[in-house]
Amino acid sequence: MDKTDKIIEARMKLRARFEEKMKSTPSQADSQPQGTGPTNRHGMPKLPVGQFETAKWPVLDLGYKPEISQDRWRLYIDGEVENPVVLKWADFMALPQTDDVSDFHCVTTWSRMDVPWSGVRLLDLAALVQPKESATHILFQAYDTYTTNLSIEEALKPDVLLVHTADHAPLSLDHGGPVRVITPLLYAWKGAKWIKRIRFLSEDAPGFWEERGYSNTAYPWRNDRYSEED
Ligand SMILES: Nc1nc2c(c(=O)[nH]1)N[C@H]1C(S)=C(S)[C@@H](COP(=O)(O)O)O[C@H]1N2
Ligand SMILES: [Mo]
């Protein structure tokens, strides 16, 4: 079996393993997602509640943009996995590549619709490293020290990608190039720009904004912006 066949087989096993949990995530379990506009590709109103559509793509960061060339870029995937890896640019580009079109919803109320992306599914990266039975969550770490967290059932959805291309051009430094994560079914802060490390964990761990009062679950069609306690 060659490398790609192995990933495809492992991908199917992972899908089966997390299928039930995925069904209970808001994007699959909500009978009345809140929003307006025509039904989108996920069966939800295209514009989530409290959002407005913009053609521009604003830039949000911690005040610092780490400049990592493709040569120096490394992606570490480790933690609760059978096969931790450190990928170089060429290794990453040799993985199965996915093209997709999806929407980008920022918690500060703008949504950018129908963005064409290319990159690698997080599902396929998980298939490569083989999460142990103990793995339940992921913590993403970026080159600017930003962190954010996801449950594995959210992270393995087919439109969660590590993208190197947006709008048919290499992802700019502003938007997290050379590679960032996108989470189309959750607010965009869940997608780390300048991604450096993907750590599988046996329990949840809040990231930068989750520690500062943002929702842990971040579901746009429930107006799920801030954590309940605040
Ligand atoms: N590494 C890193 N990733 C990040 C952030 C950041 O500050 N650093 N900001 C997040 C927030 S709050 C949002 S809304 C989106 C913004 O992405 P954009 O600047 O491409 O619009 O990136 C997210 N990912
Ligand atoms: Mo944000």
Side-chain angles (χ1 to χ4, degrees):
M1 222 170 25
D2 77 6
K3 244 182 160 177
T4 303
D5 290 338
K6 267 193 189 158
I7 288 181
I8 290 169
E9 190 186 302
R11 176 206 282 168
M12 291 190 319
K13 280 191 186 149
L14 273 173
R15 273 200 184 133
R17 183 170 141 198
F18 287 97
E19 197 185 352
E20 282 307 308
K21 279 189 172 160
M22 240 180 234
K23 278 188 195 154
S24 61
T25 58
S27 60
Q28 298 197 8
D30 257 14
S31 57
Q32 291 198 300
Q34 300 167 35
T36 50
T39 300
N40 71 7
R41 49 185 80 78
H42 310 284
M44 293 174 300
K46 191 156 169 94
L47 194 65
V49 55
Q51 296 293 109
F52 73 93
E53 187 175 346
T54 174
K56 279 185 253 155
W57 192 359
V59 175
L60 291 108
D61 55 49
L62 303 175
Y64 156 72
K65 300 182 204 337
E67 287 188 47
I68 314 291
S69 64
Q70 291 177 0
D71 252 16
R72 280 179 42 235
W73 183 77
R74 297 287 181 278
L75 178 64
Y76 303 81
I77 314 180
D78 54 20
E80 301 289 310
V81 298
E82 301 293 347
N83 175 36
V85 294
V86 183
L87 301 178
K88 295 184 182 178
W89 184 258
D91 306 323
F92 182 73
M93 296 307 283
L95 291 167
Q97 300 288 315
T98 297
D99 297 330
D100 200 15
V101 174
S102 63
D103 306 332
F104 193 93
H105 306 294
C106 177
V107 71
T108 60
T109 75
W110 55 268
S111 290
R112 188 165 178 249
M113 299 302 191
D114 304 311
V115 187
W117 310 99
S118 305
V120 176
R121 282 194 178 127
L122 191 51
L123 174 65
D124 288 341
L125 292 166
L128 180 70
V129 298
Q130 301 280 338
K132 292 183 180 172
E133 280 306 318
S134 52
T136 59
H137 291 80
I138 293 177
L139 188 67
F140 298 86
Q141 299 178 353
Y143 279 96
D144 62 346
T145 76
Y146 184 81
T147 55
T148 188
N149 59 313
L150 285 179
S151 67
I152 295 188
E153 52 273 22
E154 285 293 354
L156 297 190
K157 290 187 174 170
D159 56 5
V160 176
L161 305 181
L162 271 74
V163 296
H164 49 70
T165 299
D167 302 315
H168 308 290
L171 186 67
S172 67
L173 173 65
D174 274 357
H175 291 297
V179 182
R180 76 170 299 159
V181 184
I182 55 160
T183 58
L185 292 168
L186 302 175
Y187 288 119
W189 88 78
K190 288 290 184 180
K193 310 205 289 190
W194 311 296
I195 185 69
K196 177 179 184 182
R197 169 170 270 129
I198 299 174
R199 261 178 59 205
F200 286 79
L201 306 176
S202 57
E203 59 186 309
D204 202 2
F208 182 87
W209 286 117
E210 292 82 8
E211 279 185 324
R212 288 163 177 79
Y214 278 30
S215 161
N216 199 43
T217 41
Y219 183 55
W221 290 267
R222 281 185 189 170
N223 220 3
D224 176 23
R225 297 168 199 267
Y226 307 104
S227 56
E228 309 262 306
E229 302 90 89
D230 302 280

